[in-house]
Amino acid sequence: MDAKARARLGQEMKSLGYRKRGSSYFRISAGGLYAIISVQKSAWDSVEYLNFGYAEGASAESGWIPESRCQVRFRLDAVRGVDARLMALMSTEGLSASNSDSLVEELLDAISPFLEVDDWAGLRAVIDERISDSRLFVHRDVRRFLGLGLPE
């Protein structure tokens, strides 16, 4: 993700009440749901991953837990409607400056429902509508609570 795209993402996150820590943005919503969006660099190439995580807000000691400890997790490529053009934003190679602005706005439109989730019921609705189940991790503690029939 180039610096301009990263700055635009950060601007959007902050406008929705997210705080920044390292390469992650996080918040606890009014409905008590902890959400974290993390930009993770690949160890092998120039690709970065956009990771999403959700947990019970009460479990976030001092307001923070890493995405890897969240009860619900997925990556950008699990979101329906995110295609190769949008995934190109996550690479520092092969993205021309001329189209990055419009792609960033398309990306923000694609992920905005996940940024604005306020509670578990809202998360379940967005998962049903926008996520490919095969790329979704849901911890067994919340599977029944969310009503997801994913394999144990």
Side-chain angles (χ1 to χ4, degrees), residues 1-27:
M1 181 180 288
D2 68 11
K4 190 174 181 180
R6 190 182 291 272
R8 179 66 184 98
L9 176 65
Q11 178 185 24
E12 184 68 19
M13 300 301 289
K14 288 181 182 181
S15 76
L16 293 170
Y18 284 80
R19 293 182 290 164
K20 187 172 189 321
R21 181 172 175 173
S23 61
S24 299
Y25 295 89
F26 65 98
R27 75 171 185 177

Side-chain angles (χ1 to χ4, degrees), residues 38-92:
S38 177
V39 180
Q40 175 189 4
K41 292 183 181 191
S42 171
W44 296 280
D45 55 27
S46 64
V47 174
E48 294 178 320
Y49 302 100
L50 195 58
N51 302 315
F52 297 78
Y54 298 91
E56 185 61 44
S59 67
E61 300 120 19
S62 69
W64 164 261
I65 57 173
E67 177 265 335
S68 62
R69 288 192 40 224
C70 287
Q71 296 158 315
V72 176
R73 299 190 301 264
F74 56 90
R75 282 192 169 163
L76 176 63
D77 61 352
V79 177
R80 291 186 189 117
V82 172
D83 58 16
R85 294 172 317 106
L86 294 179
M87 290 302 293
L89 271 176
M90 303 310 295
S91 174
T92 55

Side-chain angles (χ1 to χ4, degrees), residues 94-147:
L95 181 65
S96 71
S98 63
N99 69 354
S100 71
D101 288 343
S102 64
L103 286 177
V104 168
E105 294 308 316
E106 279 187 63
L107 175 66
L108 289 172
D109 285 346
I111 67 173
S112 67
F114 301 102
L115 305 180
E116 299 169 3
V117 169
D118 191 50
D119 56 24
W120 287 108
L123 179 60
R124 171 58 199 260
V126 174
I127 286 171
D128 285 346
E129 181 182 323
R130 306 290 302 272
I131 293 291
S132 167
D133 287 345
S134 64
R135 297 185 181 171
L136 173 68
F137 169 82
V138 180
H139 194 276
R140 67 180 167 269
D141 293 345
V142 296
R143 283 185 191 152
R144 279 205 181 101
F145 176 70
L146 284 176

